[in-house]
Each structure stands twice: as C-alpha cells, then as structure tokens.
Amino acid sequence: MAGQEAYGRWVAAEAALARMAEKDAVTEGLIVRTKAGNVIHNPLVGAANKAMADMVRYAAEFGFTPSSRSQVSALETPDEDNPFSWFDTA
C-alpha cells in the first residue's frame, strides 16, 4: 500500500468511526454487535490502526521520524566542472 492510500484509508476509517461515535455515546463506536448478536471490537479500529502504522513506516523510510532522521545524510555538492560528479562513489 502506498503512503497516500494508507492516509486515505486512515481518514475514511476515522470518519466512519466518528459517525458511529455520534450515534453511540456509550461505546463511541468502538464496540459493535454482529448479526448473531455477539459484541466485538469494531473492525474499523483495526483498519485505522493498520493504516496509521503503515504511514509511520513510510515516514521512517523517508527520514520523517526523529529516529530515522539521524540516519539520513546529505549529498555532497557536485563538482561544477564535471556533470557526472553525482555518480562518483568515492
């Protein structure tokens, strides 16, 4: 799942949970009943949590978290006279 898909799923799940919370002041939409009448945790909570975890993982990949930011190094300025200096591995 790409980062923007994870964000979209998180927004959709949180919006649906907010709508459910408006109708259920007691559990705020965190608990639902199955067709059989059993009480279970709302699956939207798991979907929102999974999407949030995916977003954090993507943020870490790009150096957007404090711990991953320390592992990012800036590239050196290229040599003006050599247009291929970006490719030097030394």
Side-chain angles (χ1 to χ4, degrees):
M1 176 185 328
Q4 83 185 64
E5 290 172 351
Y7 177 75
R9 287 184 183 166
W10 175 75
V11 169
E14 289 294 335
L17 281 168
R19 287 191 302 273
M20 293 178 84
E22 290 175 358
K23 297 176 184 176
D24 182 10
V26 176
T27 66
E28 297 181 344
L30 299 178
I31 296 175
V32 294
R33 288 195 181 271
T34 65
K35 290 181 181 179
N38 299 323
V39 177
I40 62 169
H41 290 279
N42 191 333
L44 286 171
V45 174
N49 289 341
K50 170 79 168 77
M52 178 65 77
D54 288 343
M55 288 189 299
V56 170
R57 190 184 66 208
Y58 291 128
E61 288 287 328
F62 288 101
F64 295 145
T65 63
S67 61
S68 66
R69 195 171 302 130
S70 65
Q71 298 173 1
V72 176
S73 63
L75 294 175
E76 293 182 20
T77 306
D79 183 5
E80 297 283 334
D81 298 329
N82 181 1
F84 298 105
S85 65
W86 283 104
F87 302 106
D88 290 341
T89 58

